[in-house]
Amino acid sequence: MTANRSGNVNRIDRREVLKRGTALGIGAAALGGTQLSGLARQEEGTRGGVLKVAVIGEPPTLDVHQTTATIVGTIMWSVFESLFTWNENFEVIPMLAESAEVSDDGLLRTIHLRQGVSFHNGEEMKAADVIASFNRWAGISGLGKSLMASTDEIVEVDDYTIEFHLNTPFGTFLPALSHMNQGLAIYPKSVIDAAGEETLTEFVGTGPYKFVERQADRFIRLERFDDYAALEGGPNGYGGQKMQYLDGMEFIPVPDEAARLAGLQAGDYHYLEGFTPEQSEILEGDPNIVLETLAPNTWRTFVINWRSPLMENQTIRQAFQAALEHDSIMRVGEGEGYYSLNPGLMFPETAWYTEAGGDLYNQNDPEKAKALLEEAGYDGTPIRFMTTQEYLYYYNASLVARQQLEDAGFVVDLQVYDWATLIERRGDEELWDVVTTGITFRPDPTMLSIMQLCSWPGWWCSERSRELLDTLLVESDEAVRQETWDLLQETFYEEVPMIKLGDAIPVSARSSKMQGFSLMTQLSEMFWNVWLDE
Amino acid sequence: MISYVIRRVILAIPVLLIVGIVVFILVHLTPGDPAAVILGPDATQEQVKDLRDQLGLNDPLAVQFVRWFGGVLRLDLGDSLFLGMSVTDALVERLQVTGLLSLYSLLLSIIIGVPLGILAAVKANTIVDRALMALSLSGAAIPNFFLGILLILFFAVVLRWLPSGGYVDINEDLGGHFRAMILPSFALGFSQAALLARIVRSSMLDVLREDYIRTAYAKGLRRGRVINIHALRNVLIPITTVIGLSLGALLGGAVVTETVFTLPGMGRLVVQSIGRRDFPVIQGAVMLIAVFYVLANLLVDILYVYLDPRIRYGS
């Protein structure tokens, strides 16, 4: 069975691999540590113990289909699994699927499921569960909706075979069905049917840990799933064998930062989710704590409202872009040493990284900005610039940017809201010109939130960008896709739908007892391979 | 007396109705959208609208109010948008934590504050009095979150005697429960103890100057008896008032203390629900707190009768 599976992996690799050899150099260098820790982990863990993770707050839901909030994935991807997932190089590999095939015209996709995979409620995972999960997910997630629009029919051939009849070749079909925030987690059909139109109240998956109990603001408790259908051959990125060393995991909401740090130092928690890198100084030198730099998974941005009367003027947007000096913005926002500057909309750790259009990145040219403003006939209308103090880095970055913009002749009306208000206002095109936010890691450029052209708040919607995105979506020739992506990034810098400021570099803070932790955390942390040295 | 209590309870109904209307309007007029919070930062407007429809948030406010208040009358506060449970269950669960935390803090503040206040009054204007009052001044001045963090650093991080936070249910593990509650109760109770000590001292000084105290001494009673029986009884009225008021302060302080010590109490529930716009929970919690205040005030008024026979209500 293993040999058969690896054969299928190769087949997927040939057709679907997202990365090309050229860029592996960058990725491998940056992720070298990850791969080493991945290999060193094999078969040496001790079984037992409960991992205690301090999370920044109560998750908004435990339903992975429902939200892009990272915290939900951090907790629940130990409970749920997807059809496909990512290996250490962010290439697609099967997880609950056994293999996949595509017809020559790209319109028929066949997925074969693994047999004998059991849900936590004892049912066996079958095609009907996958189809029910897909339908539910496709009604909520943006990516799911666009995949659904390209699908004419889904056929349950037998219990372990599903056919997707598409109306356009969907180049990113397998990545779209892979592990990610708001990804297609497979739930039992019975659970989905029981929930109906209501929110999900049972959390049943196929993953290595099962959901046991949630006491709001106290803990969320997971327990090892003894009937887990494990793959063989050791862990491989987000997939492969899941080691299940821990008896269980507890996720404890600890919103107060000082309390989180003290709890880690006191040995009450093993890991801090959402650790602020600048706090490293407090923990440095403590022999019981390990601090490690992770690969970046968010870039900070000022999103510009494409539909606001002021900012729909491309020359004004270009003036905005020219006025900014990113180094001081990121330094004040993130702290010295915890950011990197590069023009790539896809991170340097992926094969997609490109510097196309980069001469317009981080210009620091107030004179050019002034000239552009004059050319555009800017009349001193204040820019309504929304930010939040709930994430201090956005607020701090906005303060520096305001100064730079005013030096270049802009009038800035900085509006500070709490997060819930900010994201509500962001949805109304009448209310703002610029807003701070972050764009999170995606293995494929079509999955970036900003690629929901014309609908994601900011509403970037040019003919050129839509054409390029369409090519990127349907094309399956990797060389053509990379070329298209280069052009799309160039268009981004010319049309200025937003400003990419820089990458935030995260740091993990954990107890030295916690072993086997993979530094590959771009999509979510992997706790299923962790063990505790007592 | 009984008719007085009944009248007070009936008078509480319009108070609660007004509280209900005000909190509903405030909560719904505040900008911020729970659907957007649930869906996460990458959501599009279409997704937000769909979820709002599903949650019933797109109905007219009046419809939503009638639906909610109709439920309240049947003692049904609705379901939380985030917690996957009914508001009543969520509140009952939290009330235990906040109730016990407030109780322990109150007991601590009485055990520390009252004797020290008496001691300071008896030793008025000596070095003991000055030292105690300096201590109580600093106690009242130190914010309880800061005291909390200092306590955590010393007892949890340096000495590792007590947990840095978290809650242990009293029915699961009694010892663990008290270990978990010592630091937060002290952090919360200390400033109340300081305040109480100052009130007890000044009230006691007033009483000690009264004629009947001199009489008591003149008829040969021992000093301990004069202070503990004759004087203290008359100090009880201002003390009771302060303790009644401090219940409110304890609830307010509990918000901060619960956050620092990661206790799943009412205060933290309310603050987090406001942050994520969990409308039913905010409304339910405010209603409950209003009921609580009304009852606390009533209780204090009734206690007066027993503490001071001169006080009579009604006919």
Side-chain angles (χ1 to χ4, degrees):
Chain A
M1 190 167 144
T2 314
N4 179 20
R5 182 153 46 249
S6 66
N8 288 322
V9 171
N10 286 338
R11 212 156 83 218
I12 287 167
D13 281 353
R14 265 202 314 278
R15 293 199 177 118
E16 297 285 350
V17 164
L18 298 175
K19 307 178 58 164
R20 285 168 302 136
T22 46
L24 276 176
I26 306 166
L31 289 174
T34 315
Q35 289 166 358
L36 281 179
S37 71
L39 294 175
R41 183 191 306 134
Q42 302 263 338
E43 303 301 329
E44 59 175 69
T46 26
R47 267 170 86 88
V50 173
L51 180 77
K52 300 201 171 190
V53 178
V55 293
I56 49 172
E58 194 64 29
T61 167
L62 297 181
D63 176 358
V64 173
H65 292 175
Q66 188 72 261
T67 184
T68 56
T70 320
I71 184 176
V72 179
T74 301
I75 299 170
M76 296 308 281
W77 279 118
S78 290
V79 174
F80 301 125
E81 291 182 310
S82 44
L83 292 173
F84 299 89
T85 189
W86 311 93
N87 70 9
E88 290 182 342
N89 299 319
F90 282 103
E91 294 157 351
V92 175
I93 53 171
M95 188 70 233
L96 291 176
E98 175 83 45
S99 61
E101 290 148 22
V102 57
S103 63
D104 288 340
D105 61 2
L107 293 177
L108 175 64
R109 295 273 186 173
T110 310
I111 295 175
H112 302 283
L113 299 178
R114 284 166 57 201
Q115 301 192 10
V117 175
S118 174
F119 281 113
H120 302 152
N121 63 4
E123 296 172 21
E124 194 196 347
M125 181 208 56
K126 292 185 175 161
D129 302 305
V130 173
I131 294 172
S133 302
F134 178 84
N135 286 333
R136 183 170 188 281
W137 171 74
I140 305 171
S141 129
L143 184 62
K145 282 179 180 168
S146 60
L147 181 50
M148 193 61 138
S150 308
T151 306
D152 282 338
E153 196 188 3
I154 304 170
V155 179
E156 184 182 343
V157 179
D158 59 44
D159 275 353
Y160 305 102
T161 313
I162 303 162
E163 286 178 357
F164 282 78
H165 296 261
L166 307 177
N167 50 40
T168 42
F170 202 87
T172 51
F173 184 79
L174 296 184
L177 300 184
S178 299
H179 170 116
M180 69 183 94
N181 286 339
Q182 201 172 31
L184 172 55
I186 304 302
Y187 304 158
K189 182 171 186 298
S190 58
V191 168
I192 295 172
D193 289 346
E197 292 291 298
E198 300 294 309
T199 30
L200 209 62
T201 48
E202 273 185 277
F203 305 100
V204 178
T206 57
Y209 288 85
K210 58 184 177 187
F211 172 79
V212 184
E213 193 184 4
R214 174 191 198 186
Q215 287 199 13
D217 287 341
R218 274 188 75 187
F219 55 74
I220 289 165
R221 197 171 275 162
L222 311 184
E223 222 171 62
R224 185 194 293 121
F225 176 44
D226 290 324
D227 295 327
Y228 176 64
L231 294 169
E232 289 165 11
N236 181 11
Y238 281 95
Q241 188 175 3
K242 299 186 180 173
M243 305 309 288
Q244 293 185 291
Y245 294 120
L246 299 164
D247 289 341
M249 307 175 191
E250 263 180 39
F251 296 87
I252 304 152
V254 189
D256 185 74
E257 183 135 44
R260 293 150 58 79
L261 296 178
L264 182 68
Q265 289 183 298
D268 294 334
Y269 314 123
H270 298 112
Y271 184 81
L272 301 186
E273 185 250 352
F275 177 68
T276 313
E278 277 196 292
Q279 303 287 345
S280 300
E281 284 169 28
I282 298 173
L283 300 178
E284 260 161 25
D286 187 327
N288 300 317
I289 290 170
V290 180
L291 292 166
E292 269 174 305
T293 303
L294 305 170
N297 67 348
T298 308
W299 48 267
R300 308 281 186 227
T301 174
F302 297 150
V303 179
I304 298 175
N305 183 352
W306 190 263
R307 293 180 182 167
S308 96
L310 179 64
M311 303 309 275
E312 69 177 2
N313 183 330
Q314 179 152 317
T315 316
I316 290 187
R317 293 199 304 272
Q318 286 168 339
F320 190 94
Q321 184 181 45
L324 298 174
E325 187 264 296
H326 299 201
D327 195 37
S328 31
I329 295 177
M330 289 298 287
R331 192 169 54 243
V332 172
E334 310 299 320
E336 187 71 57
Y338 301 117
Y339 64 94
S340 63
L341 299 181
N342 65 69
L345 304 185
M346 291 297 285
F347 290 90
E349 289 74 17
T350 69
W352 291 99
Y353 178 75
T354 169
E355 300 194 347
D359 45 341
L360 294 174
Y361 172 78
N362 189 16
Q363 295 173 57
N364 186 22
D365 192 346
E367 294 313 314
K368 178 181 167 190
K370 276 180 195 162
L372 285 167
L373 278 184
E374 198 165 327
E375 182 194 326
Y378 176 63
D379 61 359
T381 311
I383 295 185
R384 294 161 301 168
F385 194 130
M386 300 199 299
T387 187
T388 177
Q389 283 191 331
E390 238 163 285
Y391 300 100
L392 213 51
Y393 37 81
Y394 291 141
Y395 176 71
N396 290 339
S398 310
L399 288 184
V400 180
R402 174 172 69 179
Q403 190 59 49
Q404 294 175 0
L405 290 166
E406 286 176 347
D407 290 348
F410 279 99
V411 179
V412 180
D413 170 18
L414 194 66
Q415 304 180 349
V416 185
Y417 298 102
D418 73 320
W419 181 245
T421 307
L422 181 103
I423 53 178
E424 188 195 28
R425 290 179 66 91
R426 192 179 75 171
D428 187 339
E429 60 194 60
E430 309 277 320
L431 295 180
W432 59 280
D433 298 307
V434 176
V435 66
T436 53
T437 192
I439 306 298
T440 47
F441 177 93
R442 296 286 160 141
D444 190 275
T446 56
M447 297 177 180
L448 289 172
S449 52
I450 57 170
M451 286 297 133
Q452 303 180 62
L453 295 179
C454 314
S455 68
W456 191 72
W459 305 281
W460 180 25
C461 199
S462 70
E463 217 167 282
R464 170 106 178 118
S465 61
R466 289 170 66 185
E467 264 170 34
L468 290 167
L469 179 63
D470 283 345
T471 313
L472 208 54
L473 280 171
V474 297
E475 184 60 54
S476 42
D477 183 323
E478 289 305 317
V480 178
R481 293 191 81 217
Q482 180 72 60
E483 220 169 85
T484 314
W485 174 243
D486 289 0
L487 290 174
L488 188 49
Q489 183 169 310
E490 239 172 68
T491 312
F492 174 94
Y493 280 100
E494 277 157 26
E495 298 184 349
V496 207
M498 66 191 73
I499 307 295
K500 175 189 169 165
L501 297 168
D503 299 344
I505 297 181
V507 171
S508 91
R510 63 179 195 269
S511 152
S512 53
K513 286 178 186 166
M514 181 177 165
Q515 303 287 327
F517 177 69
S518 166
L519 298 183
M520 186 171 175
T521 56
Q522 288 100 321
L523 290 171
S524 64
E525 282 97 340
M526 279 176 256
F527 295 122
W528 53 79
N529 293 327
V530 163
W531 74 86
L532 294 175
D533 268 349
E534 287 302 330
Chain B
M1 181 69 192
I2 289 176
S3 69
Y4 170 76
V5 172
I6 292 171
R7 209 168 60 233
R8 284 283 299 264
V9 170
I10 292 172
L11 275 175
I13 292 171
V15 170
L16 294 179
L17 179 67
I18 292 169
V19 169
I21 293 174
V22 169
V23 68
F24 185 88
I25 292 175
L26 271 183
V27 159
H28 283 84
L29 287 186
T30 312
D33 185 351
V37 176
I38 292 176
L39 288 165
D42 293 351
T44 60
Q45 279 328 99
E46 190 198 351
Q47 288 169 277
V48 173
K49 193 193 154 291
D50 287 352
L51 187 60
R52 284 185 64 91
D53 277 339
Q54 195 192 339
L55 297 174
L57 295 169
N58 283 337
D59 297 338
L61 265 195
V63 174
Q64 294 189 49
F65 179 77
V66 170
R67 192 163 56 209
W68 173 68
F69 207 76
V72 171
L73 293 180
R74 297 190 305 274
L75 295 181
D76 171 13
L77 296 171
D79 291 325
S80 161
L81 301 178
F82 288 82
L83 303 175
M85 64 199 307
S86 78
V87 174
T88 315
D89 287 350
L91 291 177
V92 167
E93 197 182 278
R94 304 317 173 84
L95 209 55
Q96 187 203 8
V97 180
T98 304
L100 289 175
L101 176 62
S102 303
L103 179 72
Y104 299 152
S105 307
L106 196 62
L107 289 179
L108 257 176
S109 67
I110 293 171
I111 292 169
I112 299 173
V114 174
L116 289 187
I118 295 173
L119 184 64
V122 173
K123 303 267 180 194
N125 299 321
T126 65
I127 182 89
V128 176
D129 177 30
R130 301 249 159 74
L132 283 175
M133 285 307 108
L135 182 70
S136 80
L137 192 65
S138 53
I142 189 167
N144 58 22
F145 73 89
F146 184 62
L147 180 63
I149 289 170
L150 289 183
L151 291 173
I152 292 175
L153 284 179
F154 192 67
F155 289 101
V157 177
V158 177
L159 297 177
R160 299 210 170 194
W161 287 352
L162 295 164
S164 68
Y167 182 68
V168 179
D169 196 285
I170 193 165
N171 299 318
E172 282 168 20
D173 173 7
L174 193 68
H177 173 77
F178 284 115
R179 277 166 50 81
M181 295 300 266
I182 291 175
L183 294 183
S185 307
F186 192 77
L188 182 56
F190 189 62
S191 60
Q192 289 305 315
L195 185 67
L196 205 55
R198 300 183 74 81
I199 301 286
V200 170
R201 175 183 179 272
S202 62
S203 313
M204 191 61 124
L205 281 178
D206 286 346
V207 171
L208 288 178
R209 289 191 201 101
E210 296 279 342
D211 290 345
Y212 67 85
I213 297 293
R214 199 178 325 124
T215 311
Y217 278 121
K219 68 184 183 187
L221 289 182
R222 278 197 310 276
R223 180 176 162 146
R225 191 170 166 80
V226 173
I227 288 169
N228 290 329
I229 305 294
H230 291 72
L232 189 58
R233 254 206 99 136
N234 285 287
V235 178
L236 281 181
I237 287 278
I239 293 179
T240 309
T241 311
V242 169
I243 289 175
L245 288 176
S246 73
L247 271 179
L250 284 174
L251 279 179
V255 173
V256 178
T257 313
E258 283 165 7
T259 304
V260 172
F261 288 95
T262 327
L263 295 172
M266 282 273 287
R268 206 171 133 210
L269 178 70
V270 173
V271 169
Q272 300 208 334
S273 299
I274 292 171
R276 58 197 175 208
R277 305 291 190 272
D278 195 340
F279 298 146
V281 174
I282 307 172
Q283 290 159 193
V286 172
M287 288 303 283
L288 188 69
I289 291 170
V291 170
F292 189 74
Y293 261 86
V294 168
L295 289 182
N297 277 326
L298 183 60
L299 192 69
V300 167
D301 287 348
I302 294 171
L303 270 181
Y304 282 165
V305 177
Y306 291 98
L307 295 175
D308 187 343
R310 288 167 300 180
I311 296 176
R312 289 274 180 276
Y313 297 121
S315 55

